[in-house]
Amino acid sequence: MSAGKLALVVGGGNGIGAACCEVMHAHGWSIAVADLDEAAAQRTAEAVGGSAFHLDVRSIASIKALADQVESDAGPVDALVVSSAIFQGNVPIEETDEELFDRVMEVNLRGTYHVNRVFGMRMATRGAGAIVNLASVTGQGSTPLNIYGPGKAAIINLSKSFAGEWGGRGVRVNSVSPGVTLVPRIRERKASGDRYPADLDQRMALRRCVEPNEVAEAVEFLASSRASGITGTDLVVDCGWMTGALWGAYLGGLR
Ligand SMILES: NC(=O)c1ccc[n+]([C@@H]2O[C@H](COP(=O)([O-])OP(=O)(O)OC[C@H]3O[C@@H](n4cnc5c(N)ncnc54)[C@H](O)[C@@H]3O)[C@@H](O)[C@H]2O)c1
């Protein structure tokens, strides 16, 4: 249990971020939720008795203002979770453009970098803190997500870089890489056959996709003192998607 400790979940209004708020609350954390979607942040905060804040990770002024506001309203942030992201369609490289590249990278990579920087510097000054960034299995290898994936690979690397920078000042930084996770948007797409193959579950070693709370449990573990010796690590929570993909090249795949 992490009684009395404050977790700020950026992008906590929906999906995996909202699951992180619920699971961390159940483990005893106090919760602050920050999101571009103010109504969603409010909904999540109400469900866990926490506080809601507006944030646009594309604005460094907005991130700095949030840091001041959360500290004065709720106290110093013990754990930061960064789950905010936007997604790209299945667009061949020839059909991508600068606008799509900048739009995805601005939220996913630049936003995550600056949220880590602003909150991590405060943690380093205080001499304690834990950061968990949501990366993705698309950052581990080759997928059709030719902008989103490279951005996620960079998030895994920035987590390792920041871990080295601040380890001597008591701040741990790790990432979690989910596989296909059944947040409402993806559950609907999977059911309608949009983008995902009909035998998707059979391609995973565990023969199913990930539930949001399974990602959240990994995030909570890395944020908690139970992971006191872990920094600069990426934890994959993919129900064995990557394992199944490698087996796919042999004897027809998983048996
Ligand atoms: N769901 C999956 O299958 C999956 C798989 C791998 C990785 N991930 C990663 O997990 C994280 C959560 O994904 P999700 O599926 O829950 O997504 P989601 O869309 O349900 O939630 C993302 C949240 O980020 C917020 N957000 C978007 N732009 C923002 C901005 N500019 N400023 C502040 N907040 C902003 C959204 O309002 C939303 O509440 C993301 O980093 C995503 O890349 C998800």
Side-chain angles (χ1 to χ4, degrees):
M1 296 295 276
S2 298
K5 290 201 166 182
L6 177 66
L8 170 66
V9 182
V10 171
N14 294 292
I16 290 171
C20 288
C21 293
E22 284 158 25
V23 165
M24 293 184 88
H25 172 64
H27 281 273
W29 297 80
S30 300
I31 305 293
V33 190
D35 205 297
L36 186 64
D37 182 342
E38 288 187 70
Q42 197 62 49
R43 209 169 40 239
T44 305
E46 272 167 25
V48 298
S51 30
F53 299 87
H54 177 254
L55 172 68
D56 185 347
V57 300
R58 294 170 294 186
S59 156
I60 292 166
S62 170
I63 298 168
K64 287 181 175 163
L66 174 75
D68 289 340
Q69 203 190 339
V70 172
E71 260 182 35
S72 76
D73 289 10
V77 173
D78 298 296
L80 168 71
V81 176
V82 186
S83 187
S84 46
I86 58 171
F87 302 88
Q88 73 162 118
N90 189 4
V91 187
I93 294 167
E94 291 80 354
E95 291 169 28
T96 63
D97 57 21
E98 303 89 298
E99 190 278 325
L100 180 63
F101 183 92
D102 290 348
R103 188 152 44 90
V104 173
M105 288 296 189
E106 187 180 25
V107 174
N108 295 10
L109 179 54
R110 185 175 178 277
T112 300
Y113 184 96
H114 288 292
V115 172
N116 273 243
R117 185 172 178 277
V118 168
F119 283 91
M121 286 193 302
R122 291 177 185 228
M123 289 173 172
T125 302
R126 289 197 305 273
I131 300 176
V132 184
N133 293 311
L134 270 299
S136 167
V137 290
T138 64
Q140 312 269 352
S142 177
T143 74
L145 298 179
N146 43 45
I147 300 172
Y148 176 90
K152 290 297 184 180
I155 288 173
I156 294 168
N157 190 272
L158 88 78
S159 305
K160 292 180 191 295
S161 302
F162 283 34
E165 185 84 29
W166 288 329
R169 284 183 280 165
V171 182
R172 297 184 299 103
V173 188
N174 293 289
S175 55
V176 169
S177 283
V180 181
T181 304
L182 299 174
V183 298
R185 166 178 48 85
I186 293 195
R187 200 181 291 275
E188 274 165 32
R189 231 181 240 155
K190 179 172 180 275
S192 70
D194 171 20
R195 199 177 301 179
Y196 298 107
D199 67 343
L200 179 65
D201 289 344
Q202 297 314 312
R203 296 175 186 232
M204 316 285 169
L206 296 181
R207 306 306 200 274
R208 64 175 179 83
C209 295
V210 183
E211 293 295 334
N213 71 305
E214 294 177 309
V215 179
E217 289 288 353
V219 168
E220 195 283 328
F221 167 67
L222 288 173
S224 77
S225 57
R226 305 194 314 287
S228 54
I230 303 176
T231 197
T233 285
D234 182 72
L235 181 50
V236 174
V237 183
D238 71 344
C239 283
W241 181 15
M242 292 205 293
T243 298
L246 290 174
W247 274 62
Y250 290 91
L251 303 172
L254 295 162
R255 28 175 174 253

